Amino acid sequence: MNQSTRSATDQAPADPTAATDDALATQPIGYWSGRAHAVVTRHLRDAMARIDVTQPQYWVLNRVDGGLTAPSVGEVVDQLTPLADGPYDIARVLDQLLHRGWIRSDDEQLLHLTEAGENARRQVRALATEARATVHEGIGDDEYVAALKVLRKVIDNAEAALAPAAGPTATPSSGRTAARSSSGRR
């Protein structure tokens, strides 16, 4: 079942009970990747809710802490908005974290974690690490890496199929190039 060329495998309807390799080979990747996203995200967000933190708040805490230089509000919004549920979510999260005293803005409008923000970031990181261990139970690093490589390839293939006539652009999945349509969407 290790084919590196185009597969002629028939696309079957989603079947959560598919058990054999042959049956799994016909399953739609969108169903399974969507299901994994929904279940894993719900697990993580439920765990974070127990300590009154949201996943977007954690993203912002990591982004404010994660660079060589302090980011501006605009940089954080631009970088994290594609991950959020809506276009204004990250700006709202910044307001929430400023109100909580977990981040502060300096005279140049650059963002910094406060001591309370760093403590919260560490606490949520430990919780996220624990949640990751739960969902990765019984999955070795080699299997996990293989699964991510397959998903990256699926994303690259789908993006390339969406816009075959436009110029190249880097894809978020792999850093490799893919075509971009005239509308700018991948």
Side-chain angles (χ1 to χ4, degrees), residues 34-143:
R35 182 117 163 83
H37 171 77
V39 172
V40 170
T41 300
R42 185 174 58 239
H43 173 69
L44 181 60
R45 289 182 176 182
D46 286 353
M48 289 180 174
R50 288 184 204 102
I51 61 169
D52 195 28
V53 176
T54 67
Q55 189 178 29
Q57 288 172 340
Y58 182 50
W59 298 336
V60 170
L61 292 171
N62 279 321
R63 176 56 193 98
V64 170
D65 181 62
L68 296 175
T69 60
S72 68
V73 169
E75 289 170 334
V76 171
V77 169
D78 289 347
Q79 290 170 3
L80 296 180
T81 293
L83 302 174
D85 292 335
Y88 307 107
D89 288 358
I90 300 302
R92 287 184 191 118
V93 166
L94 286 167
D95 287 342
Q96 292 165 352
L97 296 179
L98 284 163
H99 177 75
R100 281 188 178 193
W102 288 2
I103 61 174
R104 65 176 178 80
S105 179
D106 66 20
D107 293 339
E108 297 174 13
Q109 301 304 306
L110 300 178
L111 298 171
H112 306 273
L113 289 184
T114 63
E115 184 176 337
E118 176 57 18
N119 290 338
R121 189 192 66 75
R122 285 187 190 148
Q123 180 183 15
V124 181
R125 174 109 186 212
L127 184 138
T129 299
E130 193 176 302
R132 182 185 193 278
T134 299
V135 300
H136 285 236
E137 178 99 16
I139 301 169
D141 287 347
D142 55 337
E143 293 172 293

Side-chain angles (χ1 to χ4, degrees), residues 2 9 26 32 35 39 44 74 89 94 105 133 140 145 160 168 171 176:
N2 186 9
T9 303
T26 67
W32 289 102
R35 182 117 163 83
V39 172
L44 181 60
D89 288 358
L94 286 167
S105 179
V145 169
T171 65
R176 295 186 299 269

